[in-house]
Amino acid sequence: MNLSLLRRSLILKLVGISLLLLLIVQAAGFAVVRASIERNARSQIARALDTDENVWRRLLDQNADKLRQGSALLAADYGFRSAINSDDEETIQSVLENHGNRIGAAVTALLGTNLELRAASLSDDMLDFPATLRQVVPPLAAQPQGSQVAVMAGVPYQFVMVPMRAPVVIGWVLMGFPIGQPLAEEMRQLLSVQVAVVVRAADGRVSVPVTTLSGPALAGLHRQGLPIAELKTDEGTLLVREAPLGNAGSEVKTLLLRSVDEVVAPYQQLQVLLAIITVAGVLLFAAGTGLVAQRLATPLRSLLAATQRLSRGEYGVPLSHTGRQDEIGNLARSFDRMRLDIGSQQAEIRRLAYWDRLTGLPNRERFREAVVHAIAAQEEGSVQPLTVLTLDLDRFKHVNDVLGYAFGDRLLQAVAERLQKQLPGDSDMVARLGGNEFALLLRTGAQEAYALAQRINQSFEEPLAFEDQTVDLSAGMGFACWPADAGDADTLLSRSEIAMYAAKRKLSGALRYDASFDSASAQTLSLLTELRHAVEHNELRLYLQPKVPLHGQAGLAAEALVRWQHPQRGLVPPMDFIPFAEQTGFVRQLTLWMFEEVARLLADPRTAEMPLRISVNLSTRDLLDPELSARLATILARHGVQASAFCLEITESAIMDDPQRAEAMLNRLSEQGFKLSIDDFGTGYSSLAYLKRLPVDELKIDKSFVMGMESGEDDAMIVRSTIDLAHNLGLTVVAEGVETLAILDRLRALSCDEAQGYHISRPLGAEDFLAWQSRQIANAATP
C-alpha cells in the first residue's frame, strides 16, 4: 500500500510540475506573440508607408514631368512663338487654351521676360490666381526643372514653368494641374492605401479637398486634427504618414493611412489556432508525461525491492550497482553500441553520398555540384555555353507494376549504359536524379543538345530484351542552356526539368525551356493573378449539367461545372484555365469554391426538399491535400447540408499518382458520407484488384467510348463490359457524352443506370437548372 502511494505521489508530482511549467511557458509565449504581432504589424505598415510615400511623390513627379514636357512642346511651337513676337493676343489665348486642354492642364499661362502675366487659360473660380502667381513664379524661375505647390479655391495645384528661347529667353510658359481625387484613387487602387490631402489655410482653418477615407474615418480626422500619427475610428486604428507637399501661403500635406486591424486580423486567427493546439498539446503532454513518469518509476521500484531483500538478510541476491552497472548503465551501453554502429553506417553513407548505388552514376547532389563548378569555371574564363538535358522514362511505373521492381532495376541499369555511350566528350556527365529520371551535363549549345536528344531517341528505338521479356523504350526530354535560359545552377536544373515535363505532356521527343512552360514565369503569373481576382470578385459561375436515371430510379442528379465570366473576355471556357489551375495548384481553391457554391445551392429552400445529388470533380492535388476532408466538413457544417447530397468524381490518373495517399483520403471521404465516383473510367491504368479496394460507389464511362458506340462495335463492347463489371462489383454506372437519342436508347438497353450529355441538356446556370428540373417534374406528373 505504501509503495502504491509513493508511486502515485511521484507520478503526480512529475505530471503536475511539468504541466505547470508548460502552462507558464505557453502563457508567456502568448503574451510575447501578441506583443510581437502588434509590433511587427506596425513595423510592416511603417515600411509600407515608406513605399507609399515614395510612390506618391513619384506620381507627382510624373505629373510634373508630363506638364513640363507639354510646356516645352508649347514653348517650342513655331506658330506660338510667332504669335508672341507679333503680340497676337487672340492667337496666344487660343493656343494656351487648346494646348492646356490637350494635355489636361487646369492652368496654362504665358509670362513675359520680366515674369509678368501676359495671358492665361484658367477657370472662373480661380480668383486668387494673381496671388498664387506671385508665390510660385520666383522659385520656378530660379529652378526651372522643379515644381511648386500652391492652393487656389481651396484645391492644391502643382505648377511647372519652362522658358521660351529664340534663342534668347522671350517669355515663360507656366502650367499647373490640380492634385485631385483621381490621383488619390490611383494610389488607393495601386497600393491599397488610403489618401487624404489636407489644406491648412492662413487663418488656421483645415479642409480636406481630396480623400479616399470613409465617412467615419474622415470625421475622426477632423476631430483629432493635425499633426497626427495614429487615427482611431469606430472602424479601427489607422497609422498615418504625413507627406508635406509645400508651403506657399497655405500648408498642404498628404496623409497616407493604413489599417492596423487589417494587418493584425490574420494573426488573430492564428492565435485562436495556437490556443486550440495548446489545449490539445497540454492534454497530450499530460498523458505522455504520466506514461514517462511511470516508466521512470520502474527502476526505482526494482531498487526498493532489492533494499527490502537486503533488510531481510537475503544476501545471496546482489544489490543493484550504481553507475554503469544498473539498468540506466545498461541503457547507456546500448546507446554506446548504437553510437558505434551509427558511426560505421555514417562512414558508409558519406562514401556513397554522391553516387547512385543501382546504376553507379552520380546522383542528384553530385550532378548539381558538377553544374555549379562548370558554371563557375566558365565565369572565370571565356564563356562557353552549357546545357543540362533531363529525361524521364515513359511508362516506367507501369513496367514496375507489371514486371516487378527487379526488372525495373535492370531496365534502369541498361538505360544508364546507353546514355553513357551517347556522351559526346570526356568532360560531359550523365547522372541519375532519382526514380526513372536522368540528366546529362553537356559543354555544348542548344543545337548540339537537340541533336544529342535525337540520337538518344534513336538509341531507344532498339527494344531492351531481358530473358523472355522485351520492353520498348521512350522518354520525355527537355533541356535548358546557360547563360541564355538560366543564370545559376539551380535555376538551370529546374528549367531543364520544366522543359522535360512539358515534352512529356505534349508527347514531344525533346523541348528547350520556354517561359510559357513555367508556372512561375511572368507570362503565367498574370493568369494566376486574374484567377485569384476572379475568385475574390465573384467572376466565377456555377453551371450544372443534369444526369437522368434510365430505369425510373428515384432522385435527381447533376454534375457541377465552373465557368469564368471575365469582365473583358466574356465567358471563358474551362479548358482555357482549368489545366493551368491544376499545374499551379490553384485548382484546390477552385474546388473549394465549387463545393461552397454547391453547398449554398443545396441549402436553398427551393432545393432543400428535392432528392438532389450533385457531383463535384476532385483533382490530383485535392486528393493529396491532407486537410481536404476537414475543409469539406467545415463547408457542410456552415451550410447545414449532408455529405450524402454530394458525389465526388476522381479520375483514375489522379488516384494512381499516389495510390496509398489517395486510398487513405478516399476512405476518409467515404466515412464522412460522400458518394465516390471514378471519372473517365477506361482511360487510366488502374488495375481491377486495386479498384476493388477503393470505397467507390460509381463508375463514369468516358465519353469517347460512349460517343463511339454509334460508329463502332468495339466501343459498344467496352461500354457493355464496363457496365457488367461495375454491376458485378456492386457499383452504379453513369455514361457521359450522350449526344443522340440512339445512344441513349442503346445505354438503356445495356442497363446503364444514369446518363448525361448534350442530348439531355447542356450545362445550365443554377437558375436555369432549377427551371429545367421543375419542367421535368411537371412533365413526369402529366399523365
Side-chain angles (χ1 to χ4, degrees), residues 177-475:
F177 73 93
I179 302 174
Q181 191 68 27
L183 199 61
E185 291 295 340
E186 183 178 357
M187 275 291 293
R188 186 181 65 80
Q189 294 176 6
L190 184 64
L191 298 175
S192 299
V193 62
Q194 301 294 338
V195 179
V197 178
V198 180
V199 177
R200 186 194 298 273
D203 58 3
R205 290 181 298 173
V206 175
S207 63
V208 186
V210 178
T211 182
T212 62
L213 292 172
S214 62
L218 185 59
L221 177 61
H222 283 293
R223 186 170 55 254
Q224 289 187 227
L226 298 177
I228 182 172
E230 185 174 297
L231 177 62
K232 293 188 178 295
T233 69
D234 296 338
E235 297 175 344
T237 301
L238 294 92
L239 294 187
V240 183
R241 173 65 57 83
E242 294 187 1
L245 289 181
N247 191 346
S250 300
E251 186 178 3
V252 183
K253 291 185 177 181
T254 301
L255 303 184
L256 304 173
L257 307 95
R258 282 190 177 270
S259 172
V260 176
D261 299 329
E262 291 180 1
V263 178
V264 173
Y267 296 104
Q268 291 175 340
Q269 299 176 2
L270 179 61
Q271 284 182 301
V272 173
L273 179 61
L274 287 175
I276 295 173
I277 294 174
T278 298
V279 172
V282 168
L283 296 177
L284 290 174
F285 188 79
T289 306
L291 292 174
V292 171
Q294 190 170 10
R295 293 179 67 86
L296 288 176
T298 300
L300 296 179
R301 290 199 300 270
S302 300
L303 182 59
L304 180 60
T307 56
Q308 288 175 343
R309 287 195 298 272
L310 287 175
S311 66
R312 292 196 299 268
E314 299 177 3
Y315 299 108
V317 178
L319 292 173
S320 298
H321 297 284
T322 59
R324 299 179 64 88
Q325 300 302 316
D326 56 9
E327 293 178 357
I328 297 177
N330 292 334
L331 182 62
R333 285 191 293 274
S334 297
F335 270 95
D336 192 58
R337 286 194 297 270
M338 183 176 64
R339 176 186 63 81
L340 297 175
D341 293 341
I342 292 177
S344 62
Q345 292 173 6
Q346 288 296 322
E348 180 69 11
I349 291 173
R350 283 192 296 271
R351 190 178 68 85
L352 298 175
Y354 292 114
W355 300 93
D356 176 56
R357 179 172 295 182
L358 177 64
T359 62
L361 296 176
N363 62 10
R364 180 183 290 271
E365 185 61 29
R366 176 70 185 90
F367 186 77
R368 178 187 175 278
E369 286 192 2
V371 176
V372 170
H373 292 156
I375 291 177
Q378 293 286 342
E379 290 175 342
E380 292 175 359
S382 59
V383 176
Q384 298 293 329
L386 295 173
T387 299
V388 169
L389 186 150
T390 307
L391 65 89
D392 186 88
L393 299 179
D394 296 329
R395 303 178 302 279
F396 181 72
K397 183 180 183 304
H398 187 63
V399 171
N400 272 342
D401 292 341
V402 174
L403 301 178
Y405 287 97
F407 188 91
D409 290 345
R410 295 178 64 187
L411 176 62
L412 291 174
Q413 291 170 341
V415 169
E417 292 178 4
R418 289 196 180 183
L419 292 177
Q420 285 178 305
K421 293 178 181 178
Q422 296 296 330
L423 288 180
D426 295 336
S427 59
D428 298 324
M429 175 186 290
V430 60
R432 181 190 176 201
L433 302 186
N436 57 320
E437 187 176 346
F438 294 83
L440 288 81
L441 172 60
L442 308 171
R443 268 71 174 181
T444 60
Q447 185 174 356
E448 295 83 355
Y450 185 79
L452 176 62
Q454 296 300 105
R455 292 198 299 273
I456 292 174
N457 263 335
Q458 292 174 3
S459 72
F460 282 179
E461 290 177 358
E462 180 183 351
L464 283 174
F466 299 114
E467 299 173 356
D468 58 344
Q469 296 291 344
T470 301
V471 178
D472 292 321
L473 286 178
S474 64

Side-chain angles (χ1 to χ4, degrees), residues 527 531 564 569 571-581:
L527 179 57
L531 269 177
W564 182 2
R569 290 185 281 170
L571 197 63
V572 181
M575 287 308 296
D576 288 356
F577 64 93
I578 293 296
F580 171 78

Side-chain angles (χ1 to χ4, degrees), residues 127-146:
L127 301 178
D128 51 351
F129 178 69
T132 302
L133 200 63
R134 290 191 296 272
Q135 296 171 4
V136 301
V137 166
L140 288 175
Q143 188 178 4
Q145 294 303 317

